[in-house]
Amino acid sequence: MAEDRVREASCACGQLKIRLRGEPEYVSSCACQQCQRRTGSPYGVTAFFLAEQVVSHAGEAAQFRRTAESGNDLTFRFCPNCGSTVWWEPHGRPGRICVAWGAFADPEFPPPQRLIWTDHKPAWVGAPPGAPEFPRGPTPR
C-alpha cells in the first residue's frame, strides 16, 4: 500500500537523513535564481509532504534561513559535512516539509507536476509533458 511505504532521503555522504511515510502531496520544479544557486542546476525539484508524514530524521543538520522572492521565509536543513540540502520548511505553508527530489536517489520517484518561476529558466529547460509552466509562483495549493 502506498500509504505504508516509507521513503528515505539523505545527503551525499549519508550523514543527514529524513524518512517519510506515503506519497508526496505534490512535486514541483522551480527555476528561480535562488533554486538555481542552491542546486547548481537550472532548476530545483521539490517533493512536498505533510509534516505528519515525517517518520524520523537523523544526523546533524546545519540551517540556513532566507526569504523567497514570493516573500515567504524558508528554513533549509543541510549537511555540514557534504553541504547537500535535504529538506526545508516553507513558513508560508505551515504543516508542510519540502524535500529535495534528488535526495531520494530514486528514479521511480514521482515527476514534477509543474514548473514555476520560468521567467528565470534557460530556453532549453521545460516542464515534463503535460505539466503547466508559470512565469512566477503558482496559485497557492
Side-chain angles (χ1 to χ4, degrees):
M1 233 178 181
E3 300 90 38
D4 294 334
R5 181 174 187 175
V6 174
R7 297 179 184 273
E8 183 174 275
S10 71
C11 64
C13 72
Q15 186 275 138
L16 181 61
K17 298 175 183 179
I18 187 167
R19 297 179 71 211
L20 304 111
R21 184 174 310 285
E23 296 300 314
E25 183 179 28
Y26 65 98
V27 179
S28 181
S29 296
C30 180
C32 79
Q33 291 172 333
Q34 290 297 321
C35 281
Q36 290 174 5
R37 289 183 175 110
R38 180 181 59 80
T39 64
S41 69
Y43 56 89
V45 182
T46 304
F48 287 78
F49 288 87
L50 297 175
E52 63 210 33
Q53 290 179 267
V54 175
V55 174
S56 65
H57 49 79
E60 180 184 350
Q63 295 183 48
F64 173 67
R65 187 173 178 142
R66 73 167 174 85
T67 301
E69 204 167 331
S70 66
N72 293 317
D73 284 346
L74 306 161
T75 301
F76 293 89
R77 305 283 194 252
F78 63 95
C79 177
N81 296 331
C82 67
S84 301
T85 301
V86 180
W87 78 88
W88 56 98
E89 290 92 29
H91 298 277
R93 296 185 181 220
R96 291 191 173 71
I97 297 293
C98 298
V99 183
W101 189 95
F104 290 102
D106 177 1
E108 301 299 318
F109 198 85
Q113 298 161 315
R114 66 184 184 192
L115 177 58
I116 63 173
W117 292 95
T118 58
D119 282 356
H120 300 292
K121 75 175 181 70
W124 51 268
V125 169
E133 294 189 19
F134 298 89
R136 296 290 199 181
T139 319
R141 285 186 169 258

